[in-house]
């Protein structure tokens, strides 16, 4: 198998996983007031993370195992200009590192919707 074919396959695997996260977040939002907002935000972050990693794989750029979106963004060439701002990246990273555990703050439905909106924006740009 040619190296470019291997890269294409791995990129496709990352995209598939990212799409699963987007589907989960989007459908879970439909629960309205019964929505587990922490899980929506977790999957929104995971969608962004996996799309960014797919982009890095497509450029054959190594990345460490991390959920920190700011660290991942720092590896992406500047000419690609990912539409994800530092406060958004920080908030999304907190959802995956702190939001999954007891004792963290309550996430409002509007905030969960915003997280999915950010994920959709990054998704559109990377695709």
């Amino acid at each position: 198998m040619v190296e470019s074919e291997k890269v294409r396959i791995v990129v496709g695997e990352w995209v598939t996983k990212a799409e699963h996260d987007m589907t989960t977040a989007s459908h879970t939002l439909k629960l309205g007031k019964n929505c587990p907002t922490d899980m929506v935000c977790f999957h929104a972050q995971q969608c962004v993370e996996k799309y960014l990693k797919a982009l890095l794989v497509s450029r054959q750029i190594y990345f460490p195992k991390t959920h920190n979106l700011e660290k991942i963004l720092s590896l992406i060439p500047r000419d690609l200009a990912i539409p994800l701002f530092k406060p958004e990246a920080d908030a999304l990273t907190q959802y995956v590192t702190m939001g999954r555990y007891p004792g963290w703050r309550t996430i409002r439905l509007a905030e969960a919707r915003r997280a999915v909106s950010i994920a959709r924006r990054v998704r559109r740009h990377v695709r």
Side-chain angles (χ1 to χ4, degrees):
M1 184 180 298
V2 180
E3 187 66 25
S4 61
E5 180 65 15
K6 290 178 186 176
V7 168
R8 189 189 65 73
I9 289 169
V10 174
V11 168
E13 291 170 344
W14 278 106
V15 168
T16 296
K17 293 295 187 181
E19 285 299 306
H20 291 172
D21 285 307
M22 178 56 76
T23 299
T24 300
S26 298
H27 285 294
T28 305
L29 269 179
K30 294 177 184 176
L31 294 171
K33 66 181 177 98
N34 296 318
C35 175
T37 54
D38 57 337
M39 290 295 96
V40 169
C41 291
F42 169 79
H43 286 289
Q45 186 282 345
Q46 286 289 283
C47 177
V48 170
E49 178 183 327
K50 290 168 186 165
Y51 264 112
L52 294 178
K53 288 179 176 179
L55 183 59
L56 289 169
V57 169
S58 75
R59 295 292 180 106
Q60 297 184 23
I61 299 171
Y62 170 81
F63 54 89
K65 288 187 177 186
T66 183
H67 296 299
N68 186 310
L69 295 180
E70 192 172 355
K71 286 182 182 178
I72 297 167
L73 279 170
S74 73
L75 300 172
I76 294 176
R78 290 182 183 219
D79 64 309
L80 297 177
I82 302 299
L84 181 63
F85 304 101
K86 184 182 179 341
E88 295 170 333
D90 291 344
L92 289 172
T93 296
Q94 285 189 356
Y95 298 141
V96 78
T97 58
M98 296 167 41
R100 296 182 300 154
Y101 301 101
W104 204 59
R105 66 181 180 78
T106 300
I107 301 170
R108 295 179 184 261
L109 187 58
E111 186 177 348
R113 287 185 178 125
R114 177 78 178 127
V116 171
S117 176
I118 293 166
R120 285 185 177 128
R121 179 181 357 119
V122 172
R123 175 181 175 254
R124 274 192 308 271
H125 184 80
V126 172
R127 287 183 73 88

